[in-house]
Amino acid sequence: MTVSDQLFERAKQLIPGGVNSPVRAFRSVGGAPFFVKAAHGAKLTTADGRELIDFVCTWGPAILGHNHPKIRAAVAEALDRGTSFGIPNPYEVEMAELIVRFVPSIQKVRMCNSGTEATMSAIRLARGFTRRDKIVKFAGCYHGHSDSLLIKAGSGALTHGNPDSAGVPASFARETIVVAYNDRAALEAAFAANPGQIAGVIVEPFCGNCGFIMPDAGYLQFLREITAKHGTVLIFDEVMTGFRIARGGVQEREQITPDLTCLGKIIGGGLPVGAFGGRAEIMDQLAPLGPVYQAGTLSGNPLAMAAGIAGLKLLEELNPYAQLDRLGRQLKDAVLAAARAKGIPVQVPQCGSMFSIFFSATPVRDFATALQGDAKVFNRFFHACLDRGVYLAPSAYEAGFLSTAHEGADIDRACEIFTESIRKL
Ligand SMILES: *Cc1c(COP(=O)(O)O)cnc(C)c1O
């Protein structure tokens, strides 16, 4: 028995499914998860001492590679001063200044502890601001696991064939309207059927939670226009795309100004953080200024702020987005060429450091077409890659992530492994 297998046996006795977040359990791809004892740069070291080239990057945060020396030094320096104060600290101000400077639409920002908290709070704020109850989300988009948003959700919920969770009261679910991504008519119909009732539309502007899916040309502009017309708050959930697709997120790249933006993942530099921000007029509805309550014992935690600040400053200094896109294309081209040679249909949507591999002849533009990807073929591909030393997300419906640390030998080796794994399918 491997060390990982032994740990998993012990974990299963005490932790439901042996994991603290469901996708990690490998239920979708089969087999048992490996445990990791260390991570540096582009590589994970398993509890059994294997080295794996990692395209999960802790589900997005590690855009600079794992355990970047500058982030580690910043955390160590903060640690000298204490781990939590429960009263404002200087890092919070610096973090807010960085976020407001980088993300075009954010005038004011509130820190919290996870992406789930960010989206949950943004929804409450949209409801409090508009005095309306209904929200619109898109099938396959995942916005964390709060009740209103865990409906037709992607990511782990989808991987486990259960995009609608048990335990969400039907009365809550009725306040959430789900429409197809990239479908203009469906959203127009939702507005027509619920006049004056829709508080907010929440969207992953580039979808990363049922695989990676890009919007059709003009679609995000359409979302901006239709929400403005109806006095509805447009919420970009950039927990995954923020500081990844561009320094200022999808909104900077596509030049769309949402009313509220949710952040997480990269802004914590690998520590647990979330944030939401936007127009000052809306943000000032939050307590203590306004009637919308939101709070957190560890919000603005000095260690997490120090890690995040160091990461954001490095992103500014390095401006790695052209480099990341080059790496992404290299990987995409390798997969396309191998699949063509083998005669296997494949779709590889990619932008910058995000990509997905769908074994499908149909271009993927929404939840329904994502599901047409052949998960059985993906699972064989996943294990073939893992056997050869490349770790992809353990599900056909998750995005892949690159970091600046993948540059060089690691990306070349990964492309060889993708090619070999496809040849063996
Ligand atoms: C990961 C993610 C979340 C949830 O963030 P957690 O920190 O896991 O709670 C929300 N929205 C999107 C788009 C995400 O990718």
Side-chain angles (χ1 to χ4, degrees):
M1 224 188 190
T2 64
V3 177
S4 282
D5 288 342
Q6 287 165 22
L7 285 165
F8 196 45
E9 284 311 311
R10 279 166 58 199
K12 281 191 290 190
Q13 308 297 315
L14 302 170
I15 304 170
V19 291
N20 283 313
S21 195
V23 186
R24 299 180 197 165
F26 276 35
R27 286 287 176 94
S28 166
V29 291
F34 56 87
F35 282 62
V36 169
K37 64 178 179 192
H40 295 280
K43 293 209 182 91
L44 303 174
T45 308
T46 72
D48 293 280
R50 277 191 82 203
E51 280 209 333
L52 301 172
I53 302 170
D54 177 26
F55 289 104
V56 182
C57 291
T58 186
W59 302 92
I63 191 168
L64 297 159
H66 292 285
N67 208 359
H68 191 285
K70 288 208 171 149
I71 295 181
R72 194 167 66 217
V75 174
E77 196 192 313
L79 187 57
D80 273 347
R81 303 199 181 108
T83 57
S84 176
F85 309 135
I87 190 86
N89 68 66
Y91 292 112
E92 294 170 273
V93 187
E94 190 175 3
M95 176 60 102
E97 285 168 352
L98 284 170
I99 291 175
V100 167
R101 184 150 62 83
F102 291 169
V103 185
S105 71
I106 297 187
Q107 295 172 330
K108 286 196 173 179
V109 62
R110 170 72 54 90
M111 303 307 298
C112 53
N113 303 291
S114 69
T116 294
E117 277 185 46
T119 54
M120 179 184 80
S121 305
I123 291 288
R124 182 179 304 140
L125 183 54
R127 286 173 162 156
F129 177 72
T130 58
R131 313 250 159 204
R132 301 173 183 175
D133 288 340
K134 290 197 191 304
I135 56 162
V136 170
K137 77 176 285 293
F138 298 88
C141 282
Y142 176 71
H143 305 291
H145 61 90
S146 70
D147 285 343
S148 311
L149 295 169
L150 204 54
I151 294 163
K152 293 272 180 295
S155 190
L158 168 59
T159 296
H160 297 100
N162 194 7
D164 303 294
S165 173
V168 176
S171 56
F172 289 17
R174 270 199 292 280
E175 304 296 344
T176 303
I177 301 159
V178 182
V179 301
Y181 186 73
N182 269 331
D183 183 341
R184 295 181 186 218
L187 186 57
E188 281 164 352
F191 272 107
N194 299 277
Q197 296 173 63
I198 300 177
V201 168
I202 185 166
V203 66
E204 288 183 70
F206 286 8
C207 197
N209 279 294
C210 47
F212 182 60
I213 307 176
M214 307 254 306
D216 293 343
Y219 182 66
L220 296 176
Q221 183 61 34
F222 160 75
L223 295 184
R224 179 61 284 181
E225 282 162 15
I226 194 169
T227 47
K229 186 170 119 196
H230 291 276
T232 294
V233 176
L234 177 62
I235 306 168
F236 271 15
D237 179 354
E238 300 225 44
V239 169
M240 196 179 262
T241 53
F243 308 96
R244 182 167 278 283
I245 288 298
R247 203 183 64 191
V250 172
Q251 59 192 272
E252 178 187 70
R253 186 179 190 274
E254 301 295 316
Q255 303 196 353
I256 307 287
T257 308
D259 300 301
L260 292 177
T261 299
C262 302
L263 298 168
K265 298 193 168 122
I266 288 176
I267 53 163
L271 273 76
V273 178
F276 60 105
R279 269 165 57 199
E281 177 200 6
I282 303 179
M283 292 301 291
D284 285 346
Q285 296 297 307
L286 282 175
L289 292 181
V292 179
Y293 196 72
Q294 189 277 339
T297 300
L298 291 174
S299 295
N301 174 266
L303 296 189
M305 294 302 97
I309 289 166
L312 297 192
K313 284 184 170 165
L314 268 167
L315 287 175
E316 180 171 39
E317 186 186 315
L318 299 173
N319 192 16
Y321 298 99
Q323 175 206 4
L324 289 167
D325 192 52
R326 190 165 40 69
L327 298 177
R329 274 166 207 251
Q330 186 183 341
L331 200 147
K332 171 182 180 155
D333 289 346
V335 171
L336 289 177
R340 202 176 308 118
K342 174 86 181 178
I344 294 182
V346 73
Q347 308 292 326
V348 190
Q350 174 264 335
C351 179
S353 59
M354 293 179 74
F355 66 94
S356 268
I357 301 170
F358 292 100
F359 291 99
S360 173
T362 314
V364 178
R365 54 188 301 280
D366 58 13
F367 183 58
T369 44
L371 290 182
Q372 287 178 30
D374 191 330
K376 288 204 182 78
V377 175
F378 178 86
N379 294 349
R380 290 208 304 277
F381 175 67
F382 168 86
H383 281 292
C385 291
L386 188 57
D387 290 346
R388 291 170 173 80
V390 163
Y391 177 52
L392 287 167
S395 161
Y397 312 113
E398 298 284 356
F401 299 99
L402 284 147
S403 77
T404 52
H406 285 80
E407 178 83 61
D410 290 330
I411 193 85
D412 295 341
R413 179 72 191 125
C415 287
E416 280 167 29
I417 289 176
F418 286 143
T419 303
E420 247 174 75
S421 300
I422 288 174
R423 197 182 304 135
K424 294 269 162 64
L425 279 177

